[in-house]
Amino acid sequence: QWQLVESGGGLVQPGGSLRLSCAASGFTVHAIGWFRQAPGKEREGVSCISIGGGSTTYADSVKGRFTISRDNARNTVSLQMNSLKPEDTAVYYCAARPWKCSITPTDFASWGPGTQVTVSS
């Protein structure tokens, strides 16, 4: 039902910033979540935003550093990542669901292909 494509990944130094974007298309998209998966690690939720109401959810590990935002007219959701740490290195995915926000990966069925974020000096 949905198509999602992430962009904006790359290599940044610790303490740097990066802005990811998720372009979503489809019907009845109520929430967009950001997730990440590091090598050898399970996929974890990062943040989610409600498309209709704009409410947000963040994992404790990124609170105060990451900010999720939406542009409903353009069907895009961004993740501004500041004060990046090496442990933020992962493939970042966006995902869509037709219900309320969640940062539980199994709550989402539609996923983008991911974009690599590497934080290293």
Side-chain angles (χ1 to χ4, degrees):
Q1 184 176 12
W2 298 287
Q3 294 184 356
L4 305 102
V5 180
E6 305 90 343
S7 62
L11 174 65
V12 296
Q13 294 185 333
S17 297
L18 204 61
R19 186 176 181 88
L20 305 182
S21 181
C22 173
S25 63
F27 297 96
T28 320
V29 177
H30 290 172
I32 297 289
W34 281 100
F35 302 82
R36 66 187 183 186
Q37 188 165 21
K41 303 292 185 180
E42 65 183 9
R43 188 169 298 187
E44 64 176 343
V46 175
S47 184
C48 184
I49 187 166
S50 171
I51 300 302
S55 60
T56 59
T57 302
Y58 295 93
D60 289 342
S61 60
V62 306
K63 286 181 179 177
R65 299 189 299 120
F66 291 10
T67 303
I68 192 169
S69 61
R70 61 178 178 169
D71 185 340
N72 287 355
R74 299 176 180 177
N75 291 329
T76 59
V77 170
S78 296
L79 185 70
Q80 179 66 44
M81 306 185 295
N82 298 326
S83 301
L84 283 163
K85 306 173 181 178
E87 52 262 43
D88 295 319
T89 296
V91 176
Y92 283 71
Y93 303 88
C94 65
R97 71 189 304 244
W99 206 19
K100 63 181 180 181
C101 250
S102 169
I103 53 171
T104 302
T106 54
D107 285 344
F108 291 76
S110 298
W111 295 82
T115 185
Q116 176 71 48
V117 172
T118 302
V119 185
S120 176
S121 59

